[in-house]
C-alpha cells in the first residue's frame, strides 16, 4: 500500500468543503489543518511509510464522530484492519499527550462580574457533575458497571468552565460508583482536580456542600423546568440561580454526546481503551470551541489526566460538610433574595 490509497477518501471527507468536513470529522478544514500541525509538531505523531498524518487524524476523528466498526473504516480508507487499529491508537496517544494544551485553565468569577447568570457566584471556577457513558464489558465483569437503570456504563466526572470548555475529566469508574466517590478520587490524586482555597465549583444535590463545592438546597424547587411560577423565598431563588449557572455542565455533556457518536452508542472498543477515548472526545470538544469561530452544534443543543496551571499546595484535598460553607450559602441566598425583592418592589 502507498500514500495515494486513502487520499481520495480524505479529499472527499475533509478537503472537498467545510460542510462535508464538519459532517464527517466535526470540524472545518482550517481547524483540521491546525490540529494535524499540533499533533505532528508537539504530539509526536509522524507520517508512516504508507500514511500521512492528516489521513491518520481524519480516520481517528471519523471513528469518534460516527462510532463505525473497524471493517467500515477499512473499506472507507482502503487500509488493513491492523493499520486502522494501529493508527487510531497512535492519534489517541498524541491527543492525550497534549492534554495540558487542550484543557481549559480555570478562572474564578471576578468581583466585578456583570453577567446576571454568574455575578452572584464570585470565586466560582465553573461546574461539575457525573455522566454515564455506555461501554463494552465482558459478561463476567458487568455487575459493577450496571447502573440503577440496568445499563452497562462507566461513570465519568466532568468539570467545565462557564464557556463550555472542559477543565478536568476523570473516566473509568464503574457505573455503580456514586458521584461523590468519583469526586473524592479526583481530588485525592497527585495530579487530579485542583481547587485552590477560596474558589469552588457548582454541584448538584448529590454532592456534599462543603469547601470547594457549592450545592443547592435540598427539599426546594431546583431544576429549570420547575420554575413555572416565581420563587417564594430565599432558598428557592438561590436554587433557581444555582441551576441556571450549573446547567453549563449539562450543556457540555449534551454537546460532546451530540458531537461524538462513540459516546452515545455502545462503542466497539474494549473497556480498557474507553477512559482515554472519552477524555480525547472532551479535549477535541475544547479544541473545536477555541479554533472554530462558530460551533455548528450551538443551535442544536438545548439545554484521566493531569490538571495544569496549579503551582502551589494551597488546594482543597477533602470533601466534608462545613458549617462555614453552609453559612456562606445562607448568606448568599439571603443577599440574592433581598436584592430580588427590592427590584420587584421598584418595578
Amino acid at each position: 500500500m502507498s500514500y495515494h490509497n486513502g487520499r481520495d477518501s480524505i479529499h472527499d471527507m475533509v478537503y472537498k468543503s467545510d460542510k462535508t468536513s464538519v459532517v464527517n470529522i466535526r470540524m472545518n478544514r482550517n481547524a483540521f489543518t491546525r490540529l494535524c500541525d499540533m499533533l505532528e509538531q508537539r504530539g509526536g505523531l509522524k507520517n508512516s511509510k504508507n500514511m500521512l498524518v492528516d489521513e491518520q487524524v481524519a480516520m481517528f476523528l471519523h471513528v469518534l464522530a460516527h462510532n463505525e466498526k473497524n471493517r467500515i473504516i477499512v473499506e472507507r480508507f482502503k487500509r488493513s484492519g491492523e493499520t486502522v487499529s494501529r493508527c487510531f491508537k497512535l492519534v489517541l496517544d498524541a491527543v492525550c499527550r497534549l492534554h495540558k494544551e487542550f484543557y481549559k485553565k480555570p478562572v474564578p468569577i471576578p468581583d466585578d462580574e456583570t453577567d446576571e447568570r454568574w455575578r452572584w457566584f464570585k470565586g466560582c471556577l465553573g461546574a461539575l457533575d457525573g455522566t454515564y457513558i455506555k461501554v463494552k464489558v465482558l459478561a463476567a465483569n458487568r455487575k459493577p458497571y450496571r447502573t440503577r437503570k440496568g445499563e452497562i456504563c462507566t461513570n465519568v466526572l466532568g468539570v467545565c468552565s462557564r464557556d463550555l470548555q472542559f477543565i478536568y475529566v476523570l473516566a473509568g469508574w464503574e457505573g455503580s460508583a456514586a458521584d461523590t466517590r468519583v469526586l473524592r478520587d479526583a481530588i485525592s490524586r497527585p495530579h487530579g482536580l485542583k481547587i485552590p482555597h477560596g474558589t469552588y465549583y457548582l454541584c448538584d444535590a448529590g454532592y456534599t456542600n462543603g469547601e470547594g463545592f457549592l450545592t443547592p438546597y435540598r427539599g426546594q424547587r431546583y431544576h429549570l423546568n420547575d420554575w413555572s411560577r416565581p420563587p417564594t423565598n430565599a432558598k428557592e431563588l438561590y436554587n433557581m440561580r444555582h441551576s441556571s449557572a450549573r446547567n453549563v455542565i449539562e450543556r457540555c455533556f449534551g454537546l460532546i454526546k451530540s458531537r461524538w457518536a462513540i459516546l452515545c452508542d455502545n462503542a466497539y472498543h474494549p473497556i480498557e481503551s474507553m477512559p482515554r477515548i472519552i477524555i480525547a472526545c472532551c479535549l477535541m470538544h475544547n479544541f473545536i470551541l477555541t479554533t472554530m469561530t462558530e460551533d455548528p452544534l450551538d443551535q442544536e443543543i438545548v439545554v484521566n489526566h493531569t490538571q495544569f496551571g496549579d503551582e502551589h499546595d494551597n488546594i482543597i484535598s477533602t470533601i466534608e460538610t462545613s458549617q462555614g460553607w453552609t453559612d456562606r450559602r445562607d448568606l448568599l441566598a439571603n443577599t440574592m433574595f433581598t436584592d430580588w425583592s427590592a427590584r420587584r418592589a421598584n418595578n
Side-chain angles (χ1 to χ4, degrees), residues 90-120:
L90 288 173
V91 180
L92 178 61
D93 289 344
V95 169
C96 292
R97 196 173 291 126
L98 294 181
H99 66 275
K100 289 185 178 181
E101 296 189 39
F102 290 127
Y103 272 139
K104 170 81 172 186
K105 184 175 181 179
V107 178
I109 301 299
D111 291 342
D112 59 353
E113 178 60 47
T114 58
D115 186 328
E116 186 63 28
R117 179 176 296 181
W118 289 98
R119 73 184 184 90
W120 295 101

PDB file of all heavy atoms in Angstrom, residues 90-120:
ATOM      1  N   LEU A  90      -2.279   5.488  17.755  1.00  0.00           N
ATOM      2  CA  LEU A  90      -1.216   6.490  17.654  1.00  0.00           C
ATOM      3  C   LEU A  90      -1.774   7.906  17.793  1.00  0.00           C
ATOM      4  O   LEU A  90      -1.201   8.757  18.487  1.00  0.00           O
ATOM      5  CB  LEU A  90      -0.476   6.340  16.324  1.00  0.00           C
ATOM      6  CG  LEU A  90       0.439   5.118  16.172  1.00  0.00           C
ATOM      7  CD1 LEU A  90       0.960   5.011  14.743  1.00  0.00           C
ATOM      8  CD2 LEU A  90       1.606   5.202  17.156  1.00  0.00           C
ATOM      9  N   VAL A  91      -2.910   8.175  17.136  1.00  0.00           N
ATOM     10  CA  VAL A  91      -3.506   9.508  17.230  1.00  0.00           C
ATOM     11  C   VAL A  91      -4.068   9.732  18.626  1.00  0.00           C
ATOM     12  O   VAL A  91      -3.943  10.830  19.197  1.00  0.00           O
ATOM     13  CB  VAL A  91      -4.603   9.699  16.159  1.00  0.00           C
ATOM     14  CG1 VAL A  91      -5.211  11.094  16.275  1.00  0.00           C
ATOM     15  CG2 VAL A  91      -4.029   9.488  14.770  1.00  0.00           C
ATOM     16  N   LEU A  92      -4.685   8.692  19.200  1.00  0.00           N
ATOM     17  CA  LEU A  92      -5.198   8.806  20.567  1.00  0.00           C
ATOM     18  C   LEU A  92      -4.075   9.150  21.534  1.00  0.00           C
ATOM     19  O   LEU A  92      -4.226  10.022  22.406  1.00  0.00           O
ATOM     20  CB  LEU A  92      -5.866   7.490  20.978  1.00  0.00           C
ATOM     21  CG  LEU A  92      -6.424   7.412  22.402  1.00  0.00           C
ATOM     22  CD1 LEU A  92      -7.516   8.455  22.615  1.00  0.00           C
ATOM     23  CD2 LEU A  92      -6.969   6.007  22.685  1.00  0.00           C
ATOM     24  N   ASP A  93      -2.934   8.506  21.380  1.00  0.00           N
ATOM     25  CA  ASP A  93      -1.765   8.802  22.230  1.00  0.00           C
ATOM     26  C   ASP A  93      -1.328  10.253  22.060  1.00  0.00           C
ATOM     27  O   ASP A  93      -1.012  10.937  23.040  1.00  0.00           O
ATOM     28  CB  ASP A  93      -0.599   7.871  21.877  1.00  0.00           C
ATOM     29  CG  ASP A  93      -0.840   6.432  22.323  1.00  0.00           C
ATOM     30  OD1 ASP A  93      -1.734   6.205  23.158  1.00  0.00           O
ATOM     31  OD2 ASP A  93      -0.126   5.543  21.820  1.00  0.00           O
ATOM     32  N   ALA A  94      -1.298  10.724  20.819  1.00  0.00           N
ATOM     33  CA  ALA A  94      -0.836  12.089  20.548  1.00  0.00           C
ATOM     34  C   ALA A  94      -1.792  13.113  21.141  1.00  0.00           C
ATOM     35  O   ALA A  94      -1.361  14.125  21.721  1.00  0.00           O
ATOM     36  CB  ALA A  94      -0.697  12.300  19.034  1.00  0.00           C
ATOM     37  N   VAL A  95      -3.096  12.882  21.018  1.00  0.00           N
ATOM     38  CA  VAL A  95      -4.092  13.810  21.575  1.00  0.00           C
ATOM     39  C   VAL A  95      -3.964  13.876  23.091  1.00  0.00           C
ATOM     40  O   VAL A  95      -3.918  14.959  23.691  1.00  0.00           O
ATOM     41  CB  VAL A  95      -5.519  13.377  21.175  1.00  0.00           C
ATOM     42  CG1 VAL A  95      -6.561  14.164  21.965  1.00  0.00           C
ATOM     43  CG2 VAL A  95      -5.741  13.571  19.675  1.00  0.00           C
ATOM     44  N   CYS A  96      -3.898  12.711  23.724  1.00  0.00           N
ATOM     45  CA  CYS A  96      -3.807  12.671  25.191  1.00  0.00           C
ATOM     46  C   CYS A  96      -2.484  13.254  25.685  1.00  0.00           C
ATOM     47  O   CYS A  96      -2.419  13.826  26.778  1.00  0.00           O
ATOM     48  CB  CYS A  96      -3.992  11.240  25.693  1.00  0.00           C
ATOM     49  SG  CYS A  96      -5.656  10.592  25.445  1.00  0.00           S
ATOM     50  N   ARG A  97      -1.455  13.135  24.885  1.00  0.00           N
ATOM     51  CA  ARG A  97      -0.150  13.680  25.264  1.00  0.00           C
ATOM     52  C   ARG A  97      -0.211  15.208  25.362  1.00  0.00           C
ATOM     53  O   ARG A  97       0.542  15.815  26.132  1.00  0.00           O
ATOM     54  CB  ARG A  97       0.880  13.257  24.220  1.00  0.00           C
ATOM     55  CG  ARG A  97       2.340  13.418  24.649  1.00  0.00           C
ATOM     56  CD  ARG A  97       3.264  12.806  23.606  1.00  0.00           C
ATOM     57  NE  ARG A  97       3.136  11.354  23.587  1.00  0.00           N
ATOM     58  CZ  ARG A  97       2.863  10.639  22.483  1.00  0.00           C
ATOM     59  NH1 ARG A  97       2.695  11.244  21.314  1.00  0.00           N
ATOM     60  NH2 ARG A  97       2.768   9.320  22.546  1.00  0.00           N
ATOM     61  N   LEU A  98      -1.117  15.821  24.624  1.00  0.00           N
ATOM     62  CA  LEU A  98      -1.239  17.276  24.622  1.00  0.00           C
ATOM     63  C   LEU A  98      -2.398  17.760  25.489  1.00  0.00           C
ATOM     64  O   LEU A  98      -2.906  18.868  25.292  1.00  0.00           O
ATOM     65  CB  LEU A  98      -1.437  17.781  23.189  1.00  0.00           C
ATOM     66  CG  LEU A  98      -0.262  17.591  22.233  1.00  0.00           C
ATOM     67  CD1 LEU A  98      -0.604  18.154  20.860  1.00  0.00           C
ATOM     68  CD2 LEU A  98       0.997  18.250  22.774  1.00  0.00           C
ATOM     69  N   HIS A  99      -2.785  16.964  26.472  1.00  0.00           N
ATOM     70  CA  HIS A  99      -3.955  17.330  27.274  1.00  0.00           C
ATOM     71  C   HIS A  99      -3.781  18.676  27.976  1.00  0.00           C
ATOM     72  O   HIS A  99      -4.741  19.421  28.154  1.00  0.00           O
ATOM     73  CB  HIS A  99      -4.257  16.227  28.301  1.00  0.00           C
ATOM     74  CG  HIS A  99      -3.208  16.063  29.357  1.00  0.00           C
ATOM     75  ND1 HIS A  99      -2.088  15.288  29.163  1.00  0.00           N
ATOM     76  CD2 HIS A  99      -3.112  16.574  30.597  1.00  0.00           C
ATOM     77  CE1 HIS A  99      -1.341  15.332  30.257  1.00  0.00           C
ATOM     78  NE2 HIS A  99      -1.938  16.102  31.147  1.00  0.00           N
ATOM     79  N   LYS A 100      -2.576  19.034  28.353  1.00  0.00           N
ATOM     80  CA  LYS A 100      -2.366  20.321  29.017  1.00  0.00           C
ATOM     81  C   LYS A 100      -2.698  21.488  28.106  1.00  0.00           C
ATOM     82  O   LYS A 100      -3.150  22.536  28.553  1.00  0.00           O
ATOM     83  CB  LYS A 100      -0.923  20.439  29.510  1.00  0.00           C
ATOM     84  CG  LYS A 100      -0.587  19.534  30.688  1.00  0.00           C
ATOM     85  CD  LYS A 100       0.820  19.809  31.179  1.00  0.00           C
ATOM     86  CE  LYS A 100       1.157  18.954  32.387  1.00  0.00           C
ATOM     87  NZ  LYS A 100       2.524  19.237  32.902  1.00  0.00           N
ATOM     88  N   GLU A 101      -2.475  21.309  26.821  1.00  0.00           N
ATOM     89  CA  GLU A 101      -2.776  22.375  25.867  1.00  0.00           C
ATOM     90  C   GLU A 101      -4.261  22.458  25.544  1.00  0.00           C
ATOM     91  O   GLU A 101      -4.778  23.527  25.225  1.00  0.00           O
ATOM     92  CB  GLU A 101      -1.978  22.166  24.575  1.00  0.00           C
ATOM     93  CG  GLU A 101      -0.465  22.264  24.758  1.00  0.00           C
ATOM     94  CD  GLU A 101       0.269  22.279  23.437  1.00  0.00           C
ATOM     95  OE1 GLU A 101      -0.238  22.927  22.493  1.00  0.00           O
ATOM     96  OE2 GLU A 101       1.344  21.660  23.349  1.00  0.00           O
ATOM     97  N   PHE A 102      -4.944  21.316  25.620  1.00  0.00           N
ATOM     98  CA  PHE A 102      -6.354  21.286  25.255  1.00  0.00           C
ATOM     99  C   PHE A 102      -7.284  21.647  26.409  1.00  0.00           C
ATOM    100  O   PHE A 102      -8.343  22.233  26.194  1.00  0.00           O
ATOM    101  CB  PHE A 102      -6.734  19.905  24.713  1.00  0.00           C
ATOM    102  CG  PHE A 102      -6.140  19.588  23.370  1.00  0.00           C
ATOM    103  CD1 PHE A 102      -5.417  18.414  23.165  1.00  0.00           C
ATOM    104  CD2 PHE A 102      -6.299  20.450  22.293  1.00  0.00           C
ATOM    105  CE1 PHE A 102      -4.880  18.105  21.929  1.00  0.00           C
ATOM    106  CE2 PHE A 102      -5.757  20.155  21.045  1.00  0.00           C
ATOM    107  CZ  PHE A 102      -5.049  18.982  20.865  1.00  0.00           C
ATOM    108  N   TYR A 103      -6.912  21.268  27.633  1.00  0.00           N
ATOM    109  CA  TYR A 103      -7.771  21.572  28.775  1.00  0.00           C
ATOM    110  C   TYR A 103      -7.847  23.083  29.007  1.00  0.00           C
ATOM    111  O   TYR A 103      -6.887  23.814  28.786  1.00  0.00           O
ATOM    112  CB  TYR A 103      -7.252  20.910  30.047  1.00  0.00           C
ATOM    113  CG  TYR A 103      -7.756  19.498  30.282  1.00  0.00           C
ATOM    114  CD1 TYR A 103      -6.890  18.517  30.754  1.00  0.00           C
ATOM    115  CD2 TYR A 103      -9.088  19.156  30.057  1.00  0.00           C
ATOM    116  CE1 TYR A 103      -7.335  17.219  30.985  1.00  0.00           C
ATOM    117  CE2 TYR A 103      -9.531  17.870  30.283  1.00  0.00           C
ATOM    118  CZ  TYR A 103      -8.657  16.907  30.749  1.00  0.00           C
ATOM    119  OH  TYR A 103      -9.105  15.626  30.972  1.00  0.00           O
ATOM    120  N   LYS A 104      -8.978  23.537  29.474  1.00  0.00           N
ATOM    121  CA  LYS A 104      -9.179  24.941  29.816  1.00  0.00           C
ATOM    122  C   LYS A 104      -8.593  25.219  31.199  1.00  0.00           C
ATOM    123  O   LYS A 104      -8.819  24.471  32.144  1.00  0.00           O
ATOM    124  CB  LYS A 104     -10.674  25.254  29.822  1.00  0.00           C
ATOM    125  CG  LYS A 104     -11.060  26.608  30.382  1.00  0.00           C
ATOM    126  CD  LYS A 104     -10.871  27.711  29.365  1.00  0.00           C
ATOM    127  CE  LYS A 104     -11.446  29.018  29.883  1.00  0.00           C
ATOM    128  NZ  LYS A 104     -11.419  30.080  28.866  1.00  0.00           N
ATOM    129  N   LYS A 105      -7.860  26.308  31.323  1.00  0.00           N
ATOM    130  CA  LYS A 105      -7.356  26.713  32.626  1.00  0.00           C
ATOM    131  C   LYS A 105      -8.466  27.444  33.377  1.00  0.00           C
ATOM    132  O   LYS A 105      -9.025  28.416  32.867  1.00  0.00           O
ATOM    133  CB  LYS A 105      -6.140  27.630  32.474  1.00  0.00           C
ATOM    134  CG  LYS A 105      -5.518  28.018  33.806  1.00  0.00           C
ATOM    135  CD  LYS A 105      -4.248  28.837  33.604  1.00  0.00           C
ATOM    136  CE  LYS A 105      -3.620  29.206  34.945  1.00  0.00           C
ATOM    137  NZ  LYS A 105      -2.373  29.989  34.772  1.00  0.00           N
ATOM    138  N   PRO A 106      -8.818  26.998  34.591  1.00  0.00           N
ATOM    139  CA  PRO A 106      -9.931  27.622  35.315  1.00  0.00           C
ATOM    140  C   PRO A 106      -9.621  29.046  35.754  1.00  0.00           C
ATOM    141  O   PRO A 106      -8.521  29.347  36.194  1.00  0.00           O
ATOM    142  CB  PRO A 106     -10.125  26.700  36.527  1.00  0.00           C
ATOM    143  CG  PRO A 106      -8.796  26.033  36.723  1.00  0.00           C
ATOM    144  CD  PRO A 106      -8.210  25.868  35.349  1.00  0.00           C
ATOM    145  N   VAL A 107     -10.620  29.919  35.629  1.00  0.00           N
ATOM    146  CA  VAL A 107     -10.500  31.322  36.037  1.00  0.00           C
ATOM    147  C   VAL A 107     -11.695  31.659  36.927  1.00  0.00           C
ATOM    148  O   VAL A 107     -12.845  31.490  36.510  1.00  0.00           O
ATOM    149  CB  VAL A 107     -10.483  32.257  34.815  1.00  0.00           C
ATOM    150  CG1 VAL A 107     -10.399  33.713  35.258  1.00  0.00           C
ATOM    151  CG2 VAL A 107      -9.324  31.906  33.888  1.00  0.00           C
ATOM    152  N   PRO A 108     -11.481  32.141  38.151  1.00  0.00           N
ATOM    153  CA  PRO A 108     -12.594  32.453  39.052  1.00  0.00           C
ATOM    154  C   PRO A 108     -13.461  33.606  38.532  1.00  0.00           C
ATOM    155  O   PRO A 108     -12.969  34.508  37.856  1.00  0.00           O
ATOM    156  CB  PRO A 108     -11.893  32.848  40.360  1.00  0.00           C
ATOM    157  CG  PRO A 108     -10.492  32.347  40.234  1.00  0.00           C
ATOM    158  CD  PRO A 108     -10.164  32.372  38.781  1.00  0.00           C
ATOM    159  N   ILE A 109     -14.737  33.563  38.854  1.00  0.00           N
ATOM    160  CA  ILE A 109     -15.624  34.671  38.531  1.00  0.00           C
ATOM    161  C   ILE A 109     -15.154  35.890  39.330  1.00  0.00           C
ATOM    162  O   ILE A 109     -15.010  35.830  40.548  1.00  0.00           O
ATOM    163  CB  ILE A 109     -17.080  34.342  38.909  1.00  0.00           C
ATOM    164  CG1 ILE A 109     -17.556  33.089  38.155  1.00  0.00           C
ATOM    165  CG2 ILE A 109     -17.991  35.530  38.618  1.00  0.00           C
ATOM    166  CD1 ILE A 109     -17.559  33.213  36.658  1.00  0.00           C
ATOM    167  N   PRO A 110     -14.892  37.026  38.665  1.00  0.00           N
ATOM    168  CA  PRO A 110     -14.356  38.207  39.365  1.00  0.00           C
ATOM    169  C   PRO A 110     -15.416  38.943  40.185  1.00  0.00           C
ATOM    170  O   PRO A 110     -16.618  38.745  39.988  1.00  0.00           O
ATOM    171  CB  PRO A 110     -13.838  39.076  38.219  1.00  0.00           C
ATOM    172  CG  PRO A 110     -14.723  38.717  37.059  1.00  0.00           C
ATOM    173  CD  PRO A 110     -15.010  37.243  37.204  1.00  0.00           C
ATOM    174  N   ASP A 111     -14.957  39.799  41.067  1.00  0.00           N
ATOM    175  CA  ASP A 111     -15.872  40.573  41.913  1.00  0.00           C
ATOM    176  C   ASP A 111     -16.729  41.544  41.109  1.00  0.00           C
ATOM    177  O   ASP A 111     -17.832  41.895  41.531  1.00  0.00           O
ATOM    178  CB  ASP A 111     -15.081  41.355  42.977  1.00  0.00           C
ATOM    179  CG  ASP A 111     -14.449  40.436  44.012  1.00  0.00           C
ATOM    180  OD1 ASP A 111     -14.900  39.270  44.108  1.00  0.00           O
ATOM    181  OD2 ASP A 111     -13.528  40.882  44.715  1.00  0.00           O
ATOM    182  N   ASP A 112     -16.220  41.999  39.960  1.00  0.00           N
ATOM    183  CA  ASP A 112     -16.964  42.966  39.159  1.00  0.00           C
ATOM    184  C   ASP A 112     -17.719  42.316  38.000  1.00  0.00           C
ATOM    185  O   ASP A 112     -18.031  42.973  37.000  1.00  0.00           O
ATOM    186  CB  ASP A 112     -16.025  44.043  38.622  1.00  0.00           C
ATOM    187  CG  ASP A 112     -14.910  43.457  37.757  1.00  0.00           C
ATOM    188  OD1 ASP A 112     -14.786  42.209  37.690  1.00  0.00           O
ATOM    189  OD2 ASP A 112     -14.160  44.243  37.140  1.00  0.00           O
ATOM    190  N   GLU A 113     -18.026  41.029  38.116  1.00  0.00           N
ATOM    191  CA  GLU A 113     -18.747  40.312  37.062  1.00  0.00           C
ATOM    192  C   GLU A 113     -20.117  40.960  36.812  1.00  0.00           C
ATOM    193  O   GLU A 113     -20.831  41.325  37.755  1.00  0.00           O
ATOM    194  CB  GLU A 113     -18.939  38.847  37.460  1.00  0.00           C
ATOM    195  CG  GLU A 113     -19.726  38.017  36.462  1.00  0.00           C
ATOM    196  CD  GLU A 113     -19.059  37.969  35.096  1.00  0.00           C
ATOM    197  OE1 GLU A 113     -17.842  37.723  35.043  1.00  0.00           O
ATOM    198  OE2 GLU A 113     -19.764  38.199  34.099  1.00  0.00           O
ATOM    199  N   THR A 114     -20.492  41.111  35.534  1.00  0.00           N
ATOM    200  CA  THR A 114     -21.769  41.734  35.189  1.00  0.00           C
ATOM    201  C   THR A 114     -22.781  40.750  34.606  1.00  0.00           C
ATOM    202  O   THR A 114     -23.971  41.065  34.545  1.00  0.00           O
ATOM    203  CB  THR A 114     -21.552  42.871  34.175  1.00  0.00           C
ATOM    204  OG1 THR A 114     -20.901  42.336  33.000  1.00  0.00           O
ATOM    205  CG2 THR A 114     -20.696  43.981  34.781  1.00  0.00           C
ATOM    206  N   ASP A 115     -22.322  39.581  34.189  1.00  0.00           N
ATOM    207  CA  ASP A 115     -23.235  38.566  33.654  1.00  0.00           C
ATOM    208  C   ASP A 115     -24.218  38.154  34.761  1.00  0.00           C
ATOM    209  O   ASP A 115     -23.805  37.656  35.813  1.00  0.00           O
ATOM    210  CB  ASP A 115     -22.438  37.360  33.172  1.00  0.00           C
ATOM    211  CG  ASP A 115     -23.300  36.318  32.464  1.00  0.00           C
ATOM    212  OD1 ASP A 115     -24.485  36.176  32.836  1.00  0.00           O
ATOM    213  OD2 ASP A 115     -22.790  35.635  31.569  1.00  0.00           O
ATOM    214  N   GLU A 116     -25.501  38.352  34.523  1.00  0.00           N
ATOM    215  CA  GLU A 116     -26.511  38.090  35.549  1.00  0.00           C
ATOM    216  C   GLU A 116     -26.497  36.643  36.020  1.00  0.00           C
ATOM    217  O   GLU A 116     -26.781  36.352  37.180  1.00  0.00           O
ATOM    218  CB  GLU A 116     -27.909  38.452  35.010  1.00  0.00           C
ATOM    219  CG  GLU A 116     -29.026  38.348  36.027  1.00  0.00           C
ATOM    220  CD  GLU A 116     -28.858  39.309  37.199  1.00  0.00           C
ATOM    221  OE1 GLU A 116     -28.237  40.383  37.004  1.00  0.00           O
ATOM    222  OE2 GLU A 116     -29.343  38.978  38.303  1.00  0.00           O
ATOM    223  N   ARG A 117     -26.150  35.739  35.132  1.00  0.00           N
ATOM    224  CA  ARG A 117     -26.157  34.323  35.500  1.00  0.00           C
ATOM    225  C   ARG A 117     -25.040  33.981  36.482  1.00  0.00           C
ATOM    226  O   ARG A 117     -25.183  33.098  37.322  1.00  0.00           O
ATOM    227  CB  ARG A 117     -26.029  33.463  34.241  1.00  0.00           C
ATOM    228  CG  ARG A 117     -26.000  31.966  34.514  1.00  0.00           C
ATOM    229  CD  ARG A 117     -25.976  31.160  33.236  1.00  0.00           C
ATOM    230  NE  ARG A 117     -27.201  31.354  32.476  1.00  0.00           N
ATOM    231  CZ  ARG A 117     -27.461  30.748  31.312  1.00  0.00           C
ATOM    232  NH1 ARG A 117     -26.579  29.931  30.783  1.00  0.00           N
ATOM    233  NH2 ARG A 117     -28.594  30.970  30.681  1.00  0.00           N
ATOM    234  N   TRP A 118     -23.914  34.704  36.380  1.00  0.00           N
ATOM    235  CA  TRP A 118     -22.735  34.323  37.163  1.00  0.00           C
ATOM    236  C   TRP A 118     -22.331  35.338  38.229  1.00  0.00           C
ATOM    237  O   TRP A 118     -21.501  35.022  39.082  1.00  0.00           O
ATOM    238  CB  TRP A 118     -21.550  34.095  36.214  1.00  0.00           C
ATOM    239  CG  TRP A 118     -21.701  32.860  35.387  1.00  0.00           C
ATOM    240  CD1 TRP A 118     -22.155  32.778  34.106  1.00  0.00           C
ATOM    241  CD2 TRP A 118     -21.420  31.519  35.795  1.00  0.00           C
ATOM    242  NE1 TRP A 118     -22.170  31.477  33.684  1.00  0.00           N
ATOM    243  CE2 TRP A 118     -21.713  30.679  34.704  1.00  0.00           C
ATOM    244  CE3 TRP A 118     -20.924  30.951  36.978  1.00  0.00           C
ATOM    245  CZ2 TRP A 118     -21.559  29.296  34.747  1.00  0.00           C
ATOM    246  CZ3 TRP A 118     -20.759  29.573  37.028  1.00  0.00           C
ATOM    247  CH2 TRP A 118     -21.077  28.759  35.931  1.00  0.00           C
ATOM    248  N   ARG A 119     -22.882  36.540  38.208  1.00  0.00           N
ATOM    249  CA  ARG A 119     -22.357  37.591  39.084  1.00  0.00           C
ATOM    250  C   ARG A 119     -22.531  37.281  40.564  1.00  0.00           C
ATOM    251  O   ARG A 119     -21.804  37.831  41.403  1.00  0.00           O
ATOM    252  CB  ARG A 119     -22.993  38.933  38.737  1.00  0.00           C
ATOM    253  CG  ARG A 119     -24.444  39.112  39.151  1.00  0.00           C
ATOM    254  CD  ARG A 119     -24.983  40.450  38.668  1.00  0.00           C
ATOM    255  NE  ARG A 119     -26.347  40.733  39.113  1.00  0.00           N
ATOM    256  CZ  ARG A 119     -26.629  41.361  40.240  1.00  0.00           C
ATOM    257  NH1 ARG A 119     -25.651  41.764  41.047  1.00  0.00           N
ATOM    258  NH2 ARG A 119     -27.883  41.577  40.586  1.00  0.00           N
ATOM    259  N   TRP A 120     -23.459  36.411  40.898  1.00  0.00           N
ATOM    260  CA  TRP A 120     -23.669  36.067  42.301  1.00  0.00           C
ATOM    261  C   TRP A 120     -22.641  35.062  42.815  1.00  0.00           C
ATOM    262  O   TRP A 120     -22.486  34.888  44.014  1.00  0.00           O
ATOM    263  CB  TRP A 120     -25.074  35.495  42.490  1.00  0.00           C
ATOM    264  CG  TRP A 120     -26.143  36.494  42.200  1.00  0.00           C
ATOM    265  CD1 TRP A 120     -26.890  36.599  41.056  1.00  0.00           C
ATOM    266  CD2 TRP A 120     -26.548  37.564  43.045  1.00  0.00           C
ATOM    267  NE1 TRP A 120     -27.740  37.667  41.138  1.00  0.00           N
ATOM    268  CE2 TRP A 120     -27.558  38.275  42.360  1.00  0.00           C
ATOM    269  CE3 TRP A 120     -26.171  37.991  44.321  1.00  0.00           C
ATOM    270  CZ2 TRP A 120     -28.187  39.385  42.904  1.00  0.00           C
ATOM    271  CZ3 TRP A 120     -26.801  39.099  44.863  1.00  0.00           C
ATOM    272  CH2 TRP A 120     -27.798  39.782  44.152  1.00  0.00           C
TER     273      TRP A 120
END
